[in-house]
Amino acid sequence: WVQAEAPDVLCLQETKVAAAAVPAELQQLQLLPHQYWSSAEGRAGYSGVGLLSRERPLQVTYGIGDPAHDAEGRVVTAEFPSLFVVSAYVPNAGRRLVRLEYRLQWDDAFRAYLCGLAARKPLALCGDLNVAHQEQDLRHPKANRSSAGFTPQEREGFGRLLAEGFLDSFRCLYPTLPHAYTFWTYLGGARERNVGWRLDYALLSQGLRGALCDSRIHPQALGSDHCPISLLLAL
């Protein structure tokens, strides 16, 4: 699928693998030779993100510059001539919301990090943000008001990010499109019945609004409980 899509930049989340153990089929992708991986410190098989690019970035950084959060390997940022690209895997609030307080602390710190980047250069944030922002972004909103990813606190946190000027590229182009999801539990044939959530996003800073050509969801691409999304920019 990656070879057919032929992206300029590929962002991966929940990789659960250290750089040295990345599968050979990824390491050997000739169209994406510049590869950057971040994994959780001391926790094999947990979290992790990657960013692969066709062109060599000007600079690559890991984390958000906050030791309270960076040990979990959740962010890689690549600077290119015209924009920053951030690959991020936002913490899940967990069963019974055991990590909700941590998640809210993360949201504040991550928003400050993104605003700092956007003040320097336009920014595209791509990743699993672990929140369904609006009721149209999951199949059963009423039944999930106390579920991780749809609590009022998490939705408000996402709203504060948009209030800073970041754009949800998919909803910019398809504001009312229903049943557009990127995640389905493996249980109960949820994917076949399209009982899902939209948890994966491509957000843009205001400076890239004019460059936005399309923001797509690819439910036909199998291999995970999430599906890929793609962002098309004219830069």
Side-chain angles (χ1 to χ4, degrees):
W1 184 87
V2 172
Q3 291 181 353
E5 192 73 10
D8 293 305
V9 179
L10 175 67
C11 297
L12 301 172
Q13 295 82 39
E14 201 174 2
T15 54
K16 299 184 177 182
V17 65
V22 170
E25 58 266 35
L26 275 177
Q27 293 185 23
Q28 298 167 8
L29 274 176
Q30 295 184 1
L31 76 162
L32 296 168
H34 307 288
Q35 303 189 8
Y36 309 92
W37 305 93
S38 182
S39 56
E41 297 176 11
R43 299 185 68 177
Y46 178 77
S47 189
V49 291
L51 188 150
L52 293 71
S53 63
R54 189 184 298 265
E55 303 294 334
R56 185 186 299 276
L58 301 175
Q59 183 180 11
V60 175
T61 58
Y62 301 88
I64 62 175
D66 187 335
H69 302 295
D70 288 348
E72 295 199 357
R74 294 186 177 275
V75 177
V76 174
T77 301
E79 180 181 0
F80 296 95
S82 56
L83 80 167
F84 290 106
V85 177
V86 181
S87 176
Y89 176 40
V90 169
N92 191 304
R95 291 177 181 265
R96 299 185 180 178
L97 306 178
V98 294
R99 294 198 89 195
L100 179 59
E101 184 58 36
Y102 174 75
R103 163 62 185 270
L104 301 181
Q105 294 170 8
W106 160 276
D107 283 352
D108 289 342
F110 190 42
R111 185 172 65 254
Y113 172 72
L114 295 174
C115 288
L117 288 180
R120 297 164 51 196
K121 183 179 286 192
L123 176 153
L125 165 63
C126 304
D128 178 357
L129 304 191
N130 260 319
V131 62
H133 181 220
Q134 300 174 330
E135 290 194 354
Q136 64 180 333
D137 294 321
L138 72 166
R139 190 62 175 267
H140 295 308
K142 291 182 180 179
N144 285 286
R145 296 196 187 281
S146 298
S147 299
F150 198 61
T151 63
Q153 299 96 315
E154 292 166 293
R155 296 170 65 193
E156 289 167 6
F158 189 88
R160 284 192 290 271
L161 190 56
L162 299 185
E164 292 286 355
F166 293 97
L167 310 172
D168 178 350
S169 62
F170 184 79
R171 288 300 178 203
C172 281
L173 299 173
Y174 309 104
T176 60
L177 184 68
H179 311 312
Y181 308 129
T182 67
F183 165 82
W184 306 261
T185 178
Y186 284 125
L187 302 175
R191 190 159 187 164
E192 291 76 11
R193 297 184 292 117
N194 199 28
V195 179
W197 299 55
R198 189 170 72 98
L199 301 178
D200 303 270
Y201 295 79
L203 301 188
L204 303 176
S205 58
Q206 285 285 352
L208 291 174
R209 178 188 284 272
L212 177 59
C213 297
D214 205 355
S215 185
R216 302 174 181 169
I217 295 173
H218 302 275
Q220 77 284 358
L222 305 178
S224 170
D225 52 1
H226 292 251
C227 75
I229 64 172
S230 59
L231 173 68
L232 283 73
L233 299 173
L235 298 173

